[in-house]
Amino acid sequence: MSSKRIDSDMQPYVYAITEQVAQHMSGLDELSASINARPLTFNERSAVERSLQVLVEAAIGCSKHYLKKHSLPVPAEARAAVERVFEHLAITDVPLVSMRGAVGMRNAIIHDYLNLDWTIIEPVLKQRAYKIVADYVRIVGDALQK
């Protein structure tokens, strides 16, 4: 199989990303219901952090694949990749400011985990704001398959 064929057939990639997002969304929904009833345990909070990280990584990955597929420059910085996709697709269903915040939260989870401020993550879980990231992944995933 040539590399051109791999680049043009994004269906397996989008399917895999969609499955990962669905699994993590299910876990986050369950934990969102729990946090509204009681404080989360250490392991549950760790699961929230990991699932949020995976959701945002999926969004970043889709963004970079989209840019590459369309022969656009792929920035090394995650936030810039998401912003370029917003511009190219003219996305209006998802607020850009929310995606910037999601990328910043992912950076904190990965790089500043010792100082992670749970008071920032808790409202994201309680209000199910992570669904915005899943919506973005769906939009870009659909565009990747066209």
Side-chain angles (χ1 to χ4, degrees):
M1 190 182 291
S2 72
S3 64
K4 186 173 184 173
R5 172 77 177 132
I6 293 170
D7 289 344
S8 65
D9 185 12
M10 296 302 298
Q11 188 174 0
Y13 172 77
V14 173
Y15 178 78
I17 286 294
T18 301
E19 287 297 307
Q20 280 292 307
V21 167
Q23 289 175 346
H24 286 278
M25 289 292 293
S26 176
L28 286 168
D29 286 345
E30 183 180 318
L31 290 166
S32 179
S34 295
I35 198 171
N36 287 316
R38 62 171 173 74
L40 297 183
T41 66
F42 172 82
N43 287 340
E44 289 170 328
R45 286 170 55 154
S46 293
V48 168
E49 292 167 16
R50 174 69 176 147
S51 287
L52 291 173
Q53 177 189 342
V54 169
L55 282 180
V56 179
E57 291 287 347
I60 294 165
C62 282
S63 298
K64 290 184 176 187
H65 280 289
Y66 178 86
L67 294 171
K68 183 177 178 183
K69 178 180 179 180
H70 293 280
S71 302
L72 298 167
V74 181
E77 184 180 295
R79 180 176 162 170
V82 170
E83 289 173 349
R84 285 210 181 133
V85 171
F86 258 87
E87 292 168 8
H88 196 261
L89 286 175
I91 296 172
T92 58
D93 295 346
V94 174
L96 176 57
V97 69
S98 295
M99 287 305 299
R100 286 178 177 150
V103 171
M105 182 181 59
R106 169 253 185 203
N107 290 344
I109 289 169
I110 293 172
H111 301 295
D112 202 21
Y113 55 90
L114 293 176
N115 297 314
L116 197 57
D117 186 355
W118 184 255
T119 62
I120 294 171
I121 294 174
E122 188 173 7
V124 170
L125 183 62
K126 283 184 173 181
Q127 299 165 12
R128 297 180 183 214
Y130 51 84
K131 290 181 182 259
I132 291 169
V133 180
D135 291 343
Y136 176 84
V137 171
R138 181 189 43 77
I139 291 166
V140 179
D142 289 348
L144 272 170
Q145 295 184 82
K146 292 179 182 175

